[in-house]
Amino acid sequence: MIMLFGNRKVRLLKIICEQMKVFRNAKTKNLSLWDFVCFVIFPIVIAVVVVVKLKLIISVDLAELFTTVFSIIFTVLFGFAAILVSKIDSEKELEKKVAEETFVSIITSTTLSLIAGVLSIVLTQVNNEIAIEIISIIVLSASFMIVMLLLLITKRTFLLYVDNKK
């Protein structure tokens, strides 16, 4: 944790802060509670319910599948982020803002995919039941967050496309 949040060259806290800015209400400039709940709180709550209440922990086979899926998501989003960088220099203010926020969401999804992928690998090697439950909650939470962020990225990319058609 110290390496992830304490090292100035990694700065995961900076990514989290920038992602929270994406969840701001455009009119009031305040954090949108609804967005925060949908993108952060609900994924965690759903993961806790699935693992703790329903007793559905991630099996080794599923963890291996998650590792593959997260690797693919990471690779695709990393490439997409590189392409999107060109849109950030747009002269259109709305296009620039949407591109910047989409870029932040892509980086957040990429980071979550990397962390979840590593934890999925760890999950295949752990035998402690409590550790498996905790890691399962984290991996499922990250999965749900990634899905929500992918939907956000898709919508915003569509907005950029529609705006360019005009």
Side-chain angles (χ1 to χ4, degrees):
M1 294 305 268
I2 292 171
M3 289 181 349
L4 295 176
F5 292 99
N7 187 310
R8 294 184 63 191
K9 293 190 182 348
V10 176
R11 292 204 180 193
L12 286 186
L13 193 57
K14 179 76 171 160
I15 294 171
I16 294 167
C17 291
E18 288 299 316
Q19 184 61 51
M20 289 302 121
K21 290 178 185 177
V22 173
F23 297 148
R24 287 191 178 161
N25 184 314
K27 294 175 186 167
T28 65
K29 303 293 183 200
N30 294 328
L31 179 69
S32 168
L33 186 59
W34 178 244
D35 286 349
F36 184 75
V37 167
C38 287
F39 284 88
V40 179
I41 302 299
F42 282 167
I44 294 170
V45 169
I46 292 169
V48 168
V49 168
V50 166
V51 172
V52 175
K53 293 294 182 184
L54 300 178
K55 298 291 184 198
L56 298 173
I57 60 169
I58 298 174
S59 66
V60 172
D61 290 338
L62 185 56
E64 290 171 352
L65 178 65
F66 272 169
T67 303
T68 304
V69 169
F70 290 132
S71 299
I72 292 168
I73 290 171
F74 178 85
T75 304
V76 169
L77 287 177
F78 202 74
F80 190 65
I83 294 168
L84 191 62
V85 168
S86 66
K87 283 289 189 189
I88 292 175
D89 293 333
S90 174
E91 293 178 11
K92 298 177 184 176
E93 195 58 39
L94 179 62
E95 184 176 278
K96 183 177 179 174
K97 182 172 175 30
V98 170
E100 287 171 353
E101 290 180 352
T102 304
F103 182 78
V104 168
S105 294
I106 289 170
I107 296 304
T108 303
S109 296
T110 304
T111 305
L112 284 171
S113 296
L114 181 62
I115 291 169
V118 168
L119 287 176
S120 294
I121 294 169
V122 169
L123 201 54
T124 64
Q125 302 301 311
V126 174
N127 293 325
N128 183 304
E129 197 171 314
I130 294 171
I132 291 171
E133 284 188 6
I134 292 170
I135 295 170
S136 291
I137 290 170
I138 295 169
V139 169
L140 287 175
S141 296
S143 300
F144 297 137
M145 288 178 196
I146 291 167
V147 167
M148 290 299 293
L149 288 170
L150 287 175
L151 292 171
L152 174 74
I153 292 164
T154 302
K155 179 196 167 234
R156 296 212 169 187
T157 304
F158 180 74
L159 284 176
L160 288 172
Y161 170 73
V162 168
D163 190 47
N164 275 339
K165 280 181 59 177
K166 292 180 183 178

